[in-house]
Amino acid sequence: MTKSKLNQIGILIAFSIVLSSCKLGRFVFYNFADIKDYKIFPSRTLVSNQTKFEFYATDEGKYPKTLKFSNNIERVSFDKVLEDNKTVAFLIIKNDTIQYEKYFKGYDKESIIPSFSMAKSVTSILIGCAIDDGLIKSVDEPITNYIPELKKNGFETVTLKHLLQMTSGLDFNESYFNPFGEAASFYYGRNLKREVSKLKLKRKPGEKFEYASGNTQLLGSVLQSVLKDKTITQYFQEKLWTPLEMEYDASWSIDKKKEGTEKTFCCINARARDFAKIGRLYLNKGNWNGKQIISQKWVEESTKVDTTEGSDEGYQYQWWLPSNTGEYMAEGILGQFIYVNPAKNIVIVRMGKNYGDINWSDLFSLLAKYPDK
């Protein structure tokens, strides 16, 4: 082998090492968020309960084989609509009964699927639990009570409520296409604490809604500060995963193996049926089979329409509100959803490789209106 060839191989090896060891390298190699990303990050494990809650058996035939959309002349195959739009799991649960459950693209009920930003809604629940437990006094507290190092960045007037409602005025690039933006740094980086310490504001808090994952990671920092030596995953296990009698083990991705930090803005990795139990908890206003897991007040505050102090009517406490009729949902990039419609006593979970070409909230609302037989 020639010296020139050896030099080329050496350069390639060195380049590969650089790619594997830095945020930019991981961005270039993995490119964009993918449904299998849970495999590339270290994580902390959530353990299923010995007693497992299971929804009632599938009520076959409850939902139609075809549906008619407002923009379609003819009825279309429901299964085909889901599969053609990159769905991997779809569940409709009404009155605690699984009325539809289908998996596509080689997935089944035991397949692990990352939540992406659905984890924001879970982080909000844990903040509510911490308030119930007396670890946090109020959503109206400035976050510098818990993250004092951010005083130097001017965060004294930013409250937990601002973070929950995405009205903090945070200067944050949410684009995952920009390898130098904050979203990519948070997702692919290995030092979330350092990234959080660098955050700045671009406007006064309480003026405008602007979706930014940095808000939820800041909520995670607040949560970690009050938990002290307990990890956020351990708190999640204690407050939700065990009490909700989850069927399977799961995990929460962290930034690095040793003393890692949970990516609270994303990255809970679980099965579709267990994600549905999060929806069932909120459907029942925080009550789980007679035990109040999270206060009813927190559930109601989290899912009400609010337009005060810059808040958006379509977003409240890390939950999306697609209408003012009482429905709400957790949503993650690539089209991961936990949809809850209390009036219809229904929970829908949709997980996918990407969004496809469909308005999912419209479909969920249509399915919720489907008449009982």
Side-chain angles (χ1 to χ4, degrees):
M1 187 177 293
T2 65
K3 184 176 181 180
S4 176
K5 190 69 173 178
L6 286 170
N7 287 338
Q8 290 177 3
I9 292 173
I11 291 171
L12 285 173
I13 291 173
F15 185 62
S16 297
I17 292 172
V18 170
L19 282 180
S20 65
S21 63
C22 70
K23 175 203 69 175
L24 178 59
R26 287 190 294 280
F27 178 89
V28 172
F29 186 79
Y30 296 112
N31 191 17
F32 189 67
D34 183 83
I35 198 172
K36 295 181 181 179
D37 277 359
Y38 70 93
K39 297 180 179 180
I40 69 175
F41 299 125
S43 62
R44 292 196 174 99
T45 301
L46 293 154
V47 181
S48 61
N49 199 3
Q50 289 185 336
T51 302
K52 303 181 189 302
F53 174 85
E54 296 184 16
F55 293 100
Y56 294 122
T58 303
D59 188 359
E60 295 291 347
K62 193 73 173 180
Y63 275 81
K65 295 184 182 296
T66 61
L67 282 176
K68 188 178 189 329
F69 295 97
S70 59
N71 60 340
N72 288 107
I73 298 174
E74 299 181 356
R75 298 181 70 89
V76 293
S77 165
F78 185 37
D79 288 357
K80 184 170 172 46
V81 166
L82 297 180
E83 186 166 19
D84 287 353
N85 284 281
K86 310 300 182 183
T87 302
V88 299
F90 202 95
L91 282 79
I92 303 173
I93 300 166
K94 189 169 186 178
N95 301 325
D96 271 350
T97 300
I98 298 177
Q99 299 187 344
Y100 180 95
E101 182 177 25
K102 288 285 181 70
Y103 298 89
F104 308 90
K105 315 292 184 185
Y107 282 71
D108 59 33
K109 68 179 183 179
E110 296 191 352
S111 297
I112 298 171
I113 309 169
S115 69
F116 297 108
S117 287
M118 290 200 312
K120 290 180 169 68
S121 303
V122 173
T123 299
S124 172
I125 298 174
L126 295 179
I127 290 290
C129 289
I131 291 175
D132 289 346
D133 289 343
L135 300 175
I136 295 172
K137 293 180 181 178
S138 165
V139 296
D140 296 316
E141 283 189 282
I143 65 170
T144 49
N145 284 5
Y146 302 97
I147 321 172
E149 60 269 28
L150 285 181
K151 288 181 179 179
K152 67 181 188 302
N153 297 3
F155 278 74
E156 294 93 337
T157 57
V158 176
T159 66
L160 272 74
K161 189 172 183 178
H162 290 137
L163 299 181
L164 287 161
Q165 294 185 318
M166 302 277 188
T167 59
S168 65
L170 194 64
D171 188 2
F172 193 91
N173 186 322
E174 187 66 20
S175 173
Y176 284 83
F177 292 100
N178 178 2
F180 302 103
E182 286 82 7
S185 295
F186 276 42
Y187 192 63
Y188 293 108
R190 289 180 175 167
N191 196 331
L192 275 169
K193 290 180 180 178
R194 182 181 63 197
E195 296 299 332
V196 164
S197 71
K198 296 191 296 185
L199 290 174
K200 300 287 194 302
L201 300 175
K202 63 182 179 183
R203 67 171 62 89
K204 292 180 180 179
E207 290 185 349
K208 180 182 178 182
F209 166 84
E210 188 170 7
Y211 185 88
S213 292
N215 288 299
T216 319
Q217 195 59 45
L218 282 167
L219 287 172
S221 297
V222 169
L223 195 57
Q224 189 59 73
S225 73
V226 301
L227 293 176
K228 302 188 183 305
D229 293 333
K230 183 183 295 183
T231 69
I232 291 172
T233 303
Q234 288 172 329
Y235 194 59
F236 185 22
Q237 176 84 53
E238 172 191 330
K239 305 306 293 187
L240 296 175
W241 209 257
T242 297
L244 269 53
E245 304 167 307
M246 297 300 197
E247 292 181 57
Y248 300 97
D249 291 352
S251 67
W252 202 327
S253 297
I254 56 180
D255 57 353
K256 56 189 174 185
K257 289 182 180 179
K258 187 177 181 180
E259 298 180 351
T261 298
E262 281 83 355
K263 301 180 184 186
T264 50
F265 67 97
C266 76
C267 310
I268 295 170
N269 314 299
R271 278 78 171 183
R273 284 191 178 189
D274 285 338
F275 281 127
K277 295 182 179 74
I278 301 292
R280 182 184 186 265
L281 175 68
Y282 262 48
L283 179 69
N284 291 299
K285 297 188 180 298
N287 191 284
W288 190 263
N289 299 335
K291 182 179 180 180
Q292 201 69 32
I293 304 299
I294 178 77
S295 67
Q296 179 175 334
K297 179 183 177 183
W298 183 261
V299 175
E300 292 171 347
E301 286 290 315
S302 298
T303 56
K304 70 178 183 181
V305 176
D306 183 10
T307 57
T308 62
E309 298 182 68
S311 184
D312 189 278
E313 63 180 358
Y315 196 85
Q316 178 79 358
Y317 284 22
Q318 312 283 297
W319 291 86
W320 293 96
L321 284 60
S323 72
N324 60 2
T325 61
E327 58 185 349
Y328 51 88
M329 60 192 188
E331 180 177 356
I333 197 170
L334 305 187
Q336 321 301 56
F337 292 95
I338 304 170
Y339 167 87
V340 182
N341 190 316
K344 299 296 184 179
N345 203 29
I346 195 168
V347 174
I348 298 175
V349 172
R350 187 271 177 181
M351 312 296 284
K353 290 190 172 183
N354 61 46
Y355 278 94
D357 186 22
I358 192 170
N359 186 315
W360 290 105
S361 63
D362 284 353
L363 177 60
F364 301 151
S365 296
L366 178 65
L367 292 170
K369 295 172 185 174
Y370 188 71
D372 291 320
K373 291 186 178 179

